[in-house]
Amino acid sequence: MPVTDLLRQNPHLSRLAPEHLDALDDAFVVASLADGHVVARQGDRGGEVFLVVEGEVEVSHVHDGQRRSLGRLAPGEFFGLVSLVDQGPRSATCTVRGPSKVAALSAGASALLFHTHAPIGHAFQRALASQLAADFRRVDARLRDLYEQRTSQA
Amino acid sequence: MSHLPPTRLSAQFPAFTRALGDDDLAALSRALTPRELAKGEALLVEGQPSSSLYLVTGGRFGVRVSAAAGPVIVATVGPGAVVAEVSFIDGGAASATLEALEPASVLALDRDAFDHLATSHPAVATRVLANVSASLAARIRAATDRFDTLAPIDAIVDDAPGILDRLYSLFGLSRS
């Protein structure tokens, strides 16, 4: 599915005027990636935000040489947002599973776009906040399950 | 309780009001609704939908979550706390019950008031969303770190500078 259709399906971005949606679409650069390609590596610096266009992206976290999966992202989902928001290092590693397409929006392009087109900035900020809320609920739900497992085993 | 003056709003909630000027703070302040709670009254009920964000201005709240073994108070929050950010963004169910442990007061940012702010002062609304996003990002980082102590391991990896490398170098061993 083209990036523009994915953006149009996002409930926050769908409210944008067609020319604003086109401008946002133009700022994304799409890459076709092979299975196992690491799009963002935990600990690295990077302010791009990514959109899953086709296929799947696995989010995992490494601690003391042990890797744990935080879940998988489907087309239409954004990732890389934590570093965009707080300018800190990547909080997790994002790896393509199966042949996939991922669109990237660079920090510079997004800053310029949102500065010159405030409505795009506002709509995108709503989309970002929604994705972050969904990400938090996903991690929180997994944590609760793990706590329950621990408690029932004890 | 009346509206907080803008200067007190920024002093008490620095992260929530980051990068907002005096006029911005005044507009934000007008969008907030003060609310008083009696001891024992619930601000949020776990599992029930919520769409307001709350700034705690007085009193303490117990944060209670249900577990298989029964409800557990996992934390208390007091003045300066910003709560219900996730539900404010997605309108979904509250993940915990917040009950006033003493007479308490909050400033509510209701969804309708926020949407009105987004129309009248879009730049202020965008900044508020950015500040809430920063808070969500911090909570995701904290939750991801907790995850390491609980989750099963998928794989042992040696591409990261991990403890194994430090042990190998400590004992002067080479990795084959």
Side-chain angles (χ1 to χ4, degrees):
Chain A
M1 186 179 291
V3 170
T4 183
D5 290 349
L6 288 171
L7 298 177
R8 203 172 286 127
Q9 282 176 12
N10 183 291
H12 304 286
L13 303 176
S14 63
R15 300 185 205 171
L16 283 172
E19 67 270 26
H20 286 157
L21 206 60
D22 286 346
L24 184 59
D25 180 24
D26 287 346
F28 276 97
V29 178
V30 184
S32 297
L33 304 169
D35 176 47
H37 182 92
V38 174
V39 182
R41 191 179 297 276
Q42 183 183 331
D44 282 358
R45 293 274 160 187
E48 310 101 319
V49 55
F50 304 98
L51 173 70
V52 184
V53 178
E54 276 177 37
E56 247 184 348
V57 170
E58 179 165 35
V59 184
S60 59
H61 195 244
V62 176
H63 177 73
D64 273 349
Q66 301 167 345
R67 186 172 66 223
R68 293 171 172 87
S69 177
L70 288 157
R72 289 187 177 210
L73 304 172
E77 290 199 90
F78 292 100
F79 62 100
L81 310 184
V82 171
S83 291
L84 174 77
V85 167
D86 68 11
Q87 267 111 57
R90 295 292 185 198
S91 61
T93 294
C94 302
T95 310
V96 163
R97 294 295 176 218
S100 303
K101 282 186 182 172
V102 169
L105 176 67
S106 76
S110 62
L112 184 66
L113 191 62
F114 302 161
H115 184 70
T116 52
H117 298 83
I120 305 180
H122 184 76
F124 200 73
Q125 193 63 63
R126 280 188 185 249
L128 282 190
S130 286
Q131 182 73 56
L132 285 165
D135 291 347
F136 179 77
R137 283 196 190 271
R138 178 158 34 202
V139 178
D140 191 55
R142 286 213 57 192
L143 274 176
R144 279 170 189 244
D145 287 347
L146 291 165
Y147 273 121
E148 291 288 353
Q149 283 169 23
R150 276 285 166 102
T151 316
S152 61
Q153 282 164 9
Chain B
M1 198 193 120
S2 62
H3 288 261
L4 267 189
T7 47
R8 289 220 17 232
L9 187 64
S10 64
Q12 200 167 9
F13 303 97
F16 181 70
T17 57
R18 200 175 74 83
L20 292 175
D22 289 348
D23 291 347
D24 302 338
L25 288 167
L28 174 60
S29 187
R30 286 193 297 275
L32 300 170
T33 309
R35 192 175 149 194
E36 306 278 336
L37 292 101
K39 181 181 176 182
E41 199 177 338
L43 179 64
L44 295 162
V45 178
E46 183 180 0
Q48 290 193 3
S50 163
S51 60
S52 300
L53 176 149
Y54 299 101
L55 309 173
V56 180
T57 49
R60 294 203 70 78
F61 290 86
V63 182
R64 202 173 62 216
V65 297
S66 58
V72 190
I73 291 197
V74 291
T76 63
V77 295
V82 180
V83 298
E85 293 161 306
V86 176
S87 293
F88 171 68
I89 296 298
D90 68 12
S95 56
T97 295
L98 255 76
E99 195 174 277
L101 301 173
E102 58 197 12
S105 56
V106 298
L107 292 169
L109 179 55
D110 298 324
R111 182 68 68 86
D112 289 351
F114 180 76
D115 287 340
H116 182 73
L117 183 70
T119 308
S120 64
H121 296 81
V124 179
T126 304
R127 174 42 66 183
V128 167
L129 280 176
N131 292 344
V132 172
S133 296
S135 172
L136 289 175
R139 291 175 66 185
I140 288 171
R141 280 195 194 274
T144 306
D145 287 341
R146 274 211 307 283
F147 195 73
D148 292 324
T149 62
L150 289 166
I153 303 161
D154 290 332
I156 303 290
V157 291
D158 56 10
D159 58 330
I163 197 163
L164 274 177
D165 291 305
R166 295 204 292 275
L167 281 174
Y168 273 92
S169 69
L170 195 63
F171 292 106
L173 300 170
S174 63
R175 304 189 68 173
S176 51

